[in-house]
Amino acid sequence: MPAGFWGGWVLTLTVLSVVGLAWFVFSLYFGGGGNQGGGEDEGPVWDGDLREGAHPAPMWWFWMTLAALVFSAIYLMLYPGLGSYAGALRWTEGGRLAASQAAWNTEFAEARAAIAAAPLDELQADPKLMAAAGGLFGRHCAACHGADAGGQANLFPNLTDAEWQWGGDAAAIERTIREGRVAVMVGWGAVLGQDGVAAVTDYVRELPNGVPAEHPGKTRYEQFCVACHGADGAGQPLLGAPSLANDISLYGDGEALVESIRDGRGGEMPAFGERLDDSQIRLLVAWLTRSESS
Amino acid sequence: MSQAQAAAEGASPPNAGATATAAALASYSDPVVRFLTACAVAWALAGMAAGVWIAAELVWPGLDFGQPWLSYGRLRNLHTNGVIFGFGVSALMGTALYSVQRTCHVRLFAPGLAWFCAIGWQLGVLAGGASLLAGWNAGKEYAELEWPFDIAIAVVWVCFGVVFFGTIGRRRIRPIYVSNWFYGGLIIVIAMLHIVNSLALPVGWGKSYSLFAGAQDAIVQWWYGHNAVGFLLTGGFLGMLYYFLPKHAGRPIWSYRLSIVAFWAFTYSYIWAGPHHLHYNAIPAWVQSLGMVMSLVLLAPSWATMINGVMTVAGAWRKLRTDPALKFIVLALAFYGLATFEGPMMSIKSVNVVSHFTDWTVGHVHSGALGWNALITFGTFYFLVPRLVGGALHSVRLANVHFWLALAGTMLYVLAMWGAGVSQGVLWLALDHIGDVRFGFRDIMASMAPYYALRLLAGVVFLVGAVLMAWNLWRTVQGRPTAVVHPP
């Protein structure tokens, strides 16, 4: 709200403009000489045949303009517009937002509190709620994890398979959504050397078929990798260390696996705790853990 | 009253001396008008083709072939700049220079400077278009060109003003005809808007930062953006209407008095209306209220002009049957009335809640741009071009076909975008049974497919009509020298 001089400036300019426009229109219709054209026969002739038509301005145009100006005056009395005058209704954008939020709360707050506290199987049994949860996924998650939750680009995990890097139980998934996750795998190139990277890569590729008894990469794996990924390659969800004992490989298992071991990886899932409320997070957990999901 | 009498009756302005009289005897400077008309037609084809291409990209996204310069983000700017500044301004410059000579009974002031404007403008738009494709972009809608082009535009525009007002200054008939008021408003206001909005700090040939920041930048930008629509696409083309419609209908402006009143009311209230582009954004509430109120007031002068135009034709309805050019102009008036009603309605804040950020805005713009600006220019060209060469239009039948293609294209376009825009606005606001947004962006985007396909069809239909016109006008002027016409 402009105060002081500028408030007065806006007020004066606006009032003068509306009054001035009104005066201008009034003087056209009721001023000296009346509402008449120049007269076709006496007026100037441009370019051979262009003349001033003599018809008076129609009365409906007067009423239309007057109505617009009266509406303006009333609107500016009710709503903010005239400088620092707040308007008779004391309307503000903030007030409008608060009112619509209050109305929304009245209508939905109770139902949403119930959802946030409901058992997952109850939510999963309600097709309407699952449809709403699918919509939530589409708006908030699908951009990275894909419209079908199948992951994409060897960067964003598939959420429909058995692999859950940070744990697949409801509590772990909820924490992943609410707080986000930051996964760090350091690069081992300097430690292992080129041959060492190749040997460990090969060893890791063997792990889905069981732990090899003899392997050139075995010693190094058990020295450097085992702390996070485990001796059998089962991974450690508490650290976000993925299982190496299955065929699922987020970043890819070709040259990308060599890069993962040599240069390391950093993965980040942003936190949604500020963007989604408890009921929405609960619905997403229910949707992700429902039986037809994986 | 004969023309000679009329010229004698119009008292000479104070500065009319022997030189002015001698200059007046020289024939009108029409070759520059012919050049600008040809450029306008070429820009119409190029700009509309770019529009059709990006409409097709919305249906088949792969049409950019992975090339940055073919991407929607760059071609869209080429489309808007090509049609507004290439087609629109070339047509306005050409018709302004044509009509100002004839309504002042004197040849152009500084015809050499007029040629400088005409050629300079084409080079500016051409190089500017290339810079947009190369990715230079100042980031302001309808003012995307970077600072070197902004300076060139300002120089050319001021020269255009010198030619126009110089011609008015040595007119041989005292009252200034109404079309010149609108063309003059166009020149003065666009110069003011362009120079202020383009103030920027350059940091390289192709990069600059606006002198304004944040909300102020937004307000300045839409003060420019909306009044570019107001004084260029509305006011400028009203100048075209006020000369060519009565000329063509062979009847005086129905109420000359109303036309002058409407000019001043239009000019005064338009300049306030820009903030309606920023409803519910981070600008002060009082700015939004004033923008909305003045937008509603604007309906009155807009419709005054429409009714004035319609009543001017009212005695010449018979001509509509045989004359495609007049048909174009009358249809343009109808779309003008529609768009100038729709605009104020969309500026009402509670309507804007639904319409803002949707394709409804795109539909509104095109009901004006296709239905009003393009149609009146087509009509004017069908009238003007044969006169420029002192011949007849090559094919009236082809012009009639063009008329129906243009009408169909415009209607399909506007209906498609109304459908798309209103459903976007309503679907975005819809909540489900637990108070969440009911439809995701994805779902709504997917539901746009049929509307976007219809829009593409509409664009193709409209473009085909423009191609027919280009051919028709080309055959009309082909091999004919520009007619030599002397002031009365």
Side-chain angles (χ1 to χ4, degrees):
Chain A
M1 213 56 64
F5 170 78
W6 289 112
W9 170 255
V10 173
L11 173 81
T12 310
L13 203 61
T14 309
V15 171
L16 281 182
S17 296
V18 173
V19 171
L21 276 170
W23 171 82
F24 184 58
V25 172
F26 268 91
S27 68
L28 165 74
Y29 284 88
F30 309 112
N35 174 24
Q36 279 159 22
E40 254 179 76
D41 295 331
E42 308 92 63
V45 181
W46 295 271
D47 194 20
D49 57 356
L50 292 175
R51 292 160 188 274
E52 297 183 352
H55 288 90
M59 275 319 279
W60 64 260
W61 190 74
F62 172 79
W63 292 115
M64 179 178 169
T65 312
L66 192 68
L69 290 171
V70 167
F71 174 86
S72 301
I74 293 173
Y75 188 88
L76 292 175
M77 295 308 289
L78 296 179
Y79 291 93
L82 293 174
S84 53
Y85 172 62
L89 297 180
R90 307 277 144 188
W91 186 93
T92 62
E93 276 187 10
R96 185 182 190 272
L97 177 66
S100 73
Q101 280 173 337
W104 187 88
N105 276 330
T106 317
E107 194 172 353
F108 300 113
E110 213 173 300
R112 291 173 80 93
I115 289 170
L120 292 178
D121 52 358
E122 202 174 284
L123 299 176
Q124 285 159 344
D126 183 335
K128 262 176 101 178
L129 282 179
M130 281 302 97
L136 276 170
F137 186 87
R139 290 197 298 285
H140 295 283
C141 320
C144 292
H145 292 287
D148 60 354
Q152 49 179 337
N154 279 114
L155 277 179
F156 306 107
N158 181 346
L159 305 180
T160 59
D161 60 14
E163 167 93 11
W164 288 88
Q165 194 182 332
W166 293 93
D169 60 286
I173 293 176
E174 181 183 331
R175 195 177 150 197
T176 303
I177 296 173
R178 195 181 290 279
E179 296 170 17
R181 300 286 190 181
V182 177
V184 178
M185 151 112 178
V186 293
W188 294 96
V191 176
L192 295 173
Q194 201 176 335
D195 295 344
V197 169
V200 172
T201 305
D202 195 59
Y203 182 80
V204 168
R205 288 197 178 119
E206 291 295 323
L207 281 174
N209 310 323
V211 179
E214 296 278 334
H215 193 281
K218 189 175 171 75
T219 324
R220 291 192 192 84
Y221 179 88
E222 288 179 347
Q223 197 177 350
F224 300 116
C225 315
V226 75
C228 295
H229 292 286
D232 54 358
Q236 175 48 269
L238 289 176
L239 300 169
S243 166
L244 308 176
N246 55 28
D247 287 330
I248 299 165
S249 187
L250 173 58
Y251 296 103
D253 51 11
E255 183 59 21
L257 184 58
V258 181
E259 279 171 28
S260 296
I261 293 171
R262 189 184 60 218
D263 305 329
R265 294 285 182 184
E268 183 172 351
M269 154 90 185
F272 279 80
E274 305 259 308
R275 271 187 266 178
L276 302 173
D277 69 11
D278 292 347
S279 66
Q280 291 172 313
I281 292 174
R282 190 77 179 153
L283 279 173
L284 281 172
V285 172
W287 191 78
L288 287 167
T289 56
R290 74 201 194 283
S291 52
E292 64 265 42
S293 165
S294 49
Chain B
M1 188 179 352
S2 76
Q3 291 184 11
Q5 275 175 314
E9 244 186 44
S12 299
N15 63 343
T19 356
T21 319
L25 293 176
S27 64
Y28 289 139
S29 318
D30 283 346
V32 68
V33 176
R34 180 175 177 168
F35 171 76
L36 282 164
T37 306
C39 292
V41 173
W43 280 116
L45 298 185
M48 288 170 193
V52 167
W53 191 269
I54 53 175
E57 283 186 350
L58 289 178
V59 179
W60 300 292
L63 276 180
D64 66 353
F65 302 110
Q67 300 297 317
W69 62 275
L70 269 181
S71 64
Y72 186 93
R74 293 193 191 174
L75 276 184
R76 192 256 181 191
N77 297 321
L78 188 75
H79 165 59
T80 54
N81 281 272
V83 292
I84 297 171
F85 300 113
F87 170 54
V89 170
S90 299
L92 287 174
M93 238 184 221
T95 54
L97 296 182
Y98 180 87
S99 61
V100 73
Q101 305 181 78
R102 283 160 174 79
T103 50
C104 291
H105 297 171
V106 67
R107 118 181 277 218
L108 275 189
F109 173 76
L113 197 60
W115 271 109
F116 168 78
C117 296
I119 295 171
W121 187 263
Q122 305 312 318
L123 293 178
V125 180
L126 208 60
S131 81
L132 291 171
L133 288 185
W136 290 19
N137 198 313
K140 290 187 163 204
E141 197 172 8
Y142 310 125
E144 291 91 353
L145 296 180
E146 269 294 352
W147 67 272
F149 299 104
D150 288 341
I151 292 174
I153 288 171
V155 169
V156 169
W157 199 261
V158 169
C159 293
F160 176 32
V162 169
V163 173
F164 182 84
F165 289 109
T167 309
I168 294 211
R170 52 179 207 173
R171 68 191 182 279
R172 285 170 55 240
I173 176 163
R174 181 114 189 110
I176 300 176
Y177 184 64
V178 60
S179 64
N180 293 323
W181 289 91
F182 281 96
Y183 281 125
L186 156 79
I187 292 168
I188 292 172
V189 178
I190 293 297
M192 173 177 84
L193 299 169
H194 168 74
I195 290 170
V196 173
N197 188 46
S198 301
L199 289 175
L201 193 67
V203 292
W205 286 109
K207 180 71 199 155
S208 62
Y209 291 97
S210 174
L211 275 201
F212 311 100
Q216 285 170 347
D217 189 43
I219 293 173
V220 171
Q221 157 61 22
W222 285 109
W223 169 75
Y224 162 85
H226 185 72
N227 290 297
V229 173
F231 288 86
L232 203 158
L233 296 177
T234 311
F237 285 85
L238 286 177
M240 197 187 273
L241 175 85
Y242 272 122
Y243 176 81
F244 287 96
L245 175 66
K247 198 75 196 155
H248 200 155
R251 293 173 48 86
I253 289 292
W254 178 66
S255 170
Y256 194 81
R257 193 182 174 90
L258 185 61
S259 70
I260 295 295
V261 173
F263 169 79
W264 287 108
F266 166 88
T267 302
Y268 194 82
S269 40
Y270 223 118
I271 208 84
W272 294 65
H276 70 218
H277 287 257
L278 297 164
H279 277 338
Y280 297 109
N281 279 297
I283 66 165
W286 65 270
V287 179
Q288 299 178 36
S289 296
L290 290 182
M292 167 185 146
V293 159
M294 285 302 181
S295 305
L296 286 167
V297 169
L298 201 46
L299 179 60
S302 301
W303 273 24
T305 304
M306 179 187 63
I307 203 68
N308 220 346
V310 170
M311 295 308 285
T312 300
V313 198
W317 291 127
R318 265 174 300 111
K319 271 196 157 182
L320 280 180
R321 256 185 271 153
T322 51
D323 188 342
L326 196 58
K327 274 200 278 201
F328 271 106
I329 296 181
V330 170
L331 186 63
L333 264 176
F335 275 107
Y336 171 76
L338 178 74
T340 54
F341 175 75
E342 190 184 20
M345 293 307 113
M346 289 170 78
S347 79
I348 297 173
K349 286 175 86 177
S350 43
V351 177
N352 205 261
V353 166
V354 176
S355 77
H356 208 170
F357 303 122
T358 70
D359 283 324
W360 186 352
T361 306
V362 182
H364 169 62
V365 167
H366 282 82
S367 81
L370 301 175
W372 158 241
N373 300 124
L375 291 189
I376 191 171
T377 308
F378 296 162
T380 296
F381 283 0
Y382 281 125
F383 174 82
L384 169 69
V385 171
R387 273 163 187 76
L388 277 176
V389 294
L393 187 65
H394 168 67
S395 165
V396 170
R397 231 181 108 213
L398 216 52
N400 272 317
V401 174
H402 179 200
F403 173 82
W404 291 108
L405 288 175
L407 174 58
T410 308
M411 285 310 294
L412 287 176
Y413 194 107
V414 172
L415 290 174
M417 290 299 98
W418 276 343
V422 173
S423 65
Q424 281 167 341
V426 171
L427 295 178
W428 287 343
L429 291 169
L431 296 181
D432 63 16
H433 70 297
I434 53 168
D436 256 314
V437 177
R438 184 160 174 203
F439 303 99
F441 180 77
R442 218 167 33 131
D443 312 321
I444 299 172
M445 194 69 203
S447 74
M448 289 298 117
Y451 299 114
Y452 287 180
L454 186 59
R455 184 236 301 260
L456 173 60
L457 174 71
V460 169
V461 169
F462 199 86
L463 177 63
V464 167
V467 171
L468 292 184
M469 177 189 74
W471 164 255
N472 204 353
L473 295 180
W474 166 247
R475 290 303 304 267
T476 304
V477 299
Q478 195 186 13
R480 292 196 171 117
T482 307
V484 176
V485 183
H486 290 275

